[in-house]
Amino acid sequence: QKDGYRFFMEKEIYEQSVVISDTLMGRLGENEIIFDELDKTLFDGINEIKLCACGTSYHAAMSASYLFERYSKIKTSLEIASEFRYREPIMTKDTLFVVISQSGETADTLETLKMAKAANLKTLAICNVDNSSMVRLADATILTRAGIEKGVASTKAFATQVSVFWMLSLYIAKRKNSLNAQEIASHISLLREVPSHIKVTDAMHERIKRLSKRYLHGHGFFFIGRDIFYPLALEGALKLKEISYLHAEGYPAGEMKHGPIALADPELFTIALLPKHLHYEKSKSNVEELSARDSTICAISQSEFDKADDFIQISSCEHYMLEFFEMMVVLQLLSLEISIRLGNDVDMPRNLAKSVTVE
Ligand code: M6R
């Protein structure tokens, strides 16, 4: 049931605060992450993590690659499942092969898991659906506990995947001694704050509703961000494409001047992710360059940005990961409202299925 929401996607955006609490439940110790479901020896002898997925799950995996290298100090590589399965990848035994999938049934991702098993790699599945094919096949599983996701456009599944990855980065950090107990404890208190930071406020939703009017027509959208905000930009662009059918691309903010900025004009909308706590000055100067070339800018940030045509303020927070989750909600609502204004069926976008179980 939609419980009074216009679409399941809207309901699922609003549910995120509750489902993230479920994701965290029982997993946050005082200064360690508890994954009872993992064998204590899973990371023994592991020098590399390979993450493999499709679509939104791939964006969550890309986010994980930043967290794993930054906090766990472990080499991490990233694979799009449909590509990986048809090249001739080198798989070494010191690699943990991780598949990420909401459904646990995506054909390409499942196939890569079979390849990793055949190569005798240790495998881990991060899935939402218990007893799915990937859960049954992998050596170990972490369930994301997002509950049933009905909207074709994934929202709460992504939020829970990123939360699991943040926890996993700390779990590995403890085993690799790359963060001390105090550092892990301070991450854990930040993790406890996530549910309140992804709560949708009426004021925020109303602002985005009003603002969405400006973004119905134009040449297209750039979603830009740096570091872990780059996969979030990719995810924002994918959300918009899927349900509004408008052309949108996610880009690393620093790449603009290597070609894409040639497209800048007032009909080119830039959605700029400007976290205060990660590379703020660098990202800001990339946005200024786009503004100087007349792109219409919508900035998402904690503090006002004078070069922006529109500004969406997130609440003040002291860490970039909290800004990440706040911005994630903004991007989801923006796509939702643009799609609704365009009269689209948000939950059943054309040409798409919830689970891609054939190639
Ligand atoms: O079930 P999975 O996470 O394996 O699905 C992967 C993609 O098909 C999925 O994330 C797709 O991109 C969504 N429609 C995104 O909103």
Side-chain angles (χ1 to χ4, degrees):
Q1 290 318 309
K2 289 189 209 136
D3 297 339
Y5 292 99
R6 294 165 293 175
F7 291 97
F8 281 109
M9 180 186 177
E10 184 177 36
K11 179 177 175 227
E12 286 160 6
I13 294 171
Y14 273 76
E15 265 172 12
Q16 291 181 116
S17 170
V18 173
V19 297
I20 296 273
S21 302
D22 292 341
T23 308
L24 304 179
M25 204 191 309
R27 290 169 168 168
L28 304 182
E30 230 169 75
N31 52 19
E32 66 171 339
I33 296 293
I34 303 152
F35 279 125
D36 284 332
E37 56 272 73
L38 299 185
D39 187 306
K40 300 271 176 293
T41 62
L42 183 65
F43 289 92
D44 290 359
I46 295 298
N47 293 315
E48 181 178 345
I49 295 179
K50 200 177 261 307
L51 300 160
C52 192
C54 302
T56 287
S57 295
Y58 177 78
H59 298 151
M62 191 186 285
S63 308
S65 70
Y66 290 86
L67 298 171
F68 288 168
E69 296 211 330
R70 179 162 292 143
Y71 299 131
S72 328
K73 299 288 176 228
I74 187 159
K75 186 174 167 216
T76 307
S77 56
L78 204 57
E79 306 281 354
I80 289 182
S82 57
E83 284 297 309
F84 185 77
R85 63 181 290 195
Y86 290 114
R87 56 188 183 81
E88 291 172 31
I90 294 171
M91 294 197 257
T92 53
K93 296 270 169 45
D94 63 347
T95 300
L96 176 70
F97 194 85
V98 183
V99 284
I100 305 94
S101 173
Q102 188 284 129
S103 61
E105 302 294 347
T106 300
D108 285 325
T109 313
L110 182 58
E111 197 53 41
T112 66
L113 178 58
K114 290 179 186 162
M115 288 164 67
K117 297 277 300 180
N120 281 320
L121 262 56
K122 280 192 193 174
T123 57
L124 168 66
I126 313 257
C127 289
N128 190 37
V129 179
D130 195 5
N131 206 31
S132 55
S133 302
M134 286 180 222
V135 169
R136 290 198 304 271
L137 193 62
D139 300 322
T141 298
I142 299 177
L143 292 175
T144 50
R145 305 177 181 164
I148 295 170
E149 189 180 59
K150 288 211 166 147
V152 166
S154 184
T155 51
K156 61 178 181 168
F158 176 75
T160 56
Q161 287 168 338
V162 176
S163 307
V164 162
F165 281 129
W166 189 3
M167 287 190 282
L168 191 57
S169 73
L170 307 174
Y171 180 89
I172 305 168
K174 182 177 162 83
R175 271 143 198 85
K176 300 257 173 212
N177 275 321
S178 52
L179 293 180
N180 63 35
Q182 204 187 335
E183 288 166 325
I184 294 178
S186 81
H187 275 278
I188 289 174
S189 40
L190 291 167
L191 272 158
R192 289 188 202 284
E193 287 185 46
V194 174
S196 65
H197 280 279
I198 60 172
K199 220 171 236 156
V200 182
T201 63
D202 287 348
M204 165 76 80
H205 199 161
E206 283 310 313
R207 166 121 188 86
I208 293 172
K209 257 186 205 165
R210 277 199 308 278
L211 212 139
S212 60
K213 211 191 302 178
R214 191 203 270 256
Y215 296 99
L216 304 181
H217 310 285
H219 299 332
F221 289 75
F222 279 159
F223 286 69
I224 62 169
R226 278 178 177 261
D227 203 284
I228 197 169
F229 291 85
Y230 164 47
L232 185 59
L234 289 174
E235 176 57 10
L238 178 62
K239 284 294 80 90
L240 190 67
K241 269 186 268 215
E242 279 186 294
I243 60 173
S244 71
Y245 320 138
L246 297 171
H247 181 72
E249 287 189 73
Y251 257 104
E255 269 293 295
M256 287 292 114
K257 57 169 85 64
H258 299 286
I261 203 166
L263 291 172
D265 73 13
E267 300 287 296
L268 189 270
F269 304 136
T270 299
I271 311 295
L273 305 180
L274 290 173
K276 185 173 169 192
H277 299 296
L278 200 67
H279 314 314
Y280 180 73
E281 291 302 325
K282 292 244 170 271
S283 308
K284 205 171 80 155
S285 78
N286 296 134
V287 182
E288 279 162 359
E289 283 159 11
L290 277 153
S291 164
R293 277 135 192 113
D294 290 332
S295 172
T296 300
I297 311 283
C298 175
I300 308 174
S301 192
Q302 283 195 47
S303 41
E304 191 96 35
F305 175 56
D306 58 0
K307 294 289 179 332
D309 300 273
D310 284 313
F311 171 63
I312 302 175
Q313 186 162 33
I314 57 167
S315 68
S316 68
C317 43
E318 75 277 27
H319 194 272
Y320 73 87
M321 283 306 291
L322 298 179
E323 296 183 288
F324 180 100
F325 285 105
E326 292 243 357
M327 289 186 192
M328 176 200 75
V329 174
V330 169
L331 296 180
Q332 293 167 343
L333 290 173
L334 191 62
S335 298
L336 174 81
E337 293 305 331
I338 291 175
S339 175
I340 291 175
R341 276 192 190 273
L342 290 170
N344 299 339
D345 184 343
V346 171
D347 288 330
M348 298 284 286
R350 68 186 186 199
N351 310 337
L352 295 176
K354 179 68 188 157
S355 188
V356 184
T357 52
V358 289
E359 262 192 87

